[in-house]
Amino acid sequence: MLPIVYVLSDSVGETGEFVVRAVASQFNGGHVDIRRVPYIDDHESIVEAFELAKEANAFIAYTLVLPNLRNFVKIKAEEYNIPAVDLLGDLMETFSNVHGKQPNYSPGSMRQLDADYFKRVEAIEFAVKYDDGKDPRGILRADVVLVGVSRTSKTPLSMYLAHKRLKVANVPIAPEVTPPEELFLVPSKKCIGLTINPDQLNEIRQERLKTLGLTRNANYAKFERILEELEYAEKIIKRIGCPTINVSNKAVEETAGIILDILKKGGKISG
C-alpha cells in the first residue's frame, strides 16, 4: 500500500508536492500517494483535511504562509495525533533571523514569481521568432514594433525589452524591400522608429564588414547608400506616424529606457 500524504497549501500546492516527492524518492522508489488540498484560507478547511488524513491513515505536509494557519495546523496535529510537517516555517524563521526582517506573509508569492518568469521566457521567444522581419504576422501581436535601417540596435533592443516582459517585433527598412502591410495596420503608438547619425552608421557598418572579412568598399557601408537608406526609412516612419529615437551614441539601456517611457505615456504599459 502506498504511503499517503496530504499536502496543505494556501496556493496550488506545487511546492509542497515537489518537496514531498523529493523526499519520497529516497524510499520505496519514490512511490507515494500525494493528495493536494489547495487554497486553504480558513480553519474549517484545515479541520476537513485532518479528517480526511485520519480516515486514510495519512500524514500531513503543509506550505502555509500565514502564522495563524500554521499554528492552527500544529494544534490540530496534536489533537488528531497525526504527524504534520511544516515545509516553510523553519526556513522563513531562519531568513527572518538572519536578515532581521519579517516576511511579507503573502500567499502565492512563488506562483507569482513563476508567472513573471514564464512571461519573460515567452517574450524572449517572441523576440527571437519575430526578429529582423522574419514573420510579419508578429507585428500585429507585438507590444511594441521597432523600425529602422540595419545596425540601429533593433535586435539588442528587442532582447533587452523582452527581459522586461514585452513582446517585441522589429522590422528592417531598406529601399529595395517593400515594408509589410501589417506595419501600417498596427496602431502607431505601438511603433518606435529608430534613426542614427550617418557618420556613426558608416563607422558601425565598416566595422561590421571587417568582422565578416568583407571589403570596406561594399555598398552596405558606402556613405551615399547610407544616406539613401536613412532618407527612405524617415519616409516610412513618417507614414506610420510613430515616435522616432535617434540612437546615435546611446547605449542599448538608454534607448530602452526612452522606449519604456514612451510606452508608459501612451498607456501601453503600466508604471
Side-chain angles (χ1 to χ4, degrees), residues 155-168:
T155 296
L157 281 168
S158 296
M159 297 308 298
Y160 186 94
L161 293 170
H163 279 85
K164 301 292 184 181
R165 301 183 296 282
L166 289 174
K167 293 180 179 179
V168 186

Side-chain angles (χ1 to χ4, degrees), residues 15 38 82-83 115 122 125 133-134 178 190 194 201 223 254 261 266:
T15 301
I82 293 176
E122 183 181 6
E125 291 176 344
K134 290 175 184 174
T178 302
K190 290 177 62 175
L194 303 175
L201 183 55
F223 202 76
E254 183 180 358
D261 286 340

Side-chain angles (χ1 to χ4, degrees), residues 27-77:
F27 303 89
N28 192 31
H31 300 299
V32 61
D33 182 356
I34 295 177
R35 301 177 184 179
R36 291 193 205 178
V37 185
Y39 303 115
I40 286 183
D41 59 4
D42 56 35
H43 290 180
E44 289 75 13
S45 298
I46 293 173
V47 172
E48 290 175 6
F50 270 96
E51 288 290 341
L52 292 171
K54 181 180 179 181
E55 292 178 11
N57 193 28
F59 72 91
I60 284 175
Y62 57 102
T63 57
L64 300 171
V65 172
L66 297 178
N68 70 305
L69 294 181
R70 297 203 332 264
N71 290 334
F72 189 73
V73 170
K74 291 176 184 177
I75 292 171
K76 289 300 165 184

Side-chain angles (χ1 to χ4, degrees), residues 177-193:
V177 181
T178 302
E181 61 177 301
E182 288 87 351
L183 198 55
F184 306 105
L185 297 176
V186 69
S188 59
K189 64 182 180 180
K190 290 177 62 175
C191 292
I192 302 290

Side-chain angles (χ1 to χ4, degrees), residues 148-153 193-206 220-231 233-234 237 244-250 255:
V149 301
S150 174
R151 314 313 292 178
T152 48
S153 302
L194 303 175
T195 189
I196 189 172
N197 179 281
D199 292 307
Q200 185 173 349
L201 183 55
N202 178 257
E203 292 177 12
I204 293 172
R205 289 190 175 184
Q206 291 283 6
Y220 177 71
K222 286 184 178 179
F223 202 76
E224 295 78 9
R225 168 64 182 183
I226 287 174
L227 290 176
E228 180 188 3
E229 287 188 33
L230 289 174
E231 182 179 357
E234 184 180 0
I237 292 169
T244 303
I245 301 173
N246 191 320
V247 301
S248 303
N249 300 312
K250 285 185 176 67
T255 304

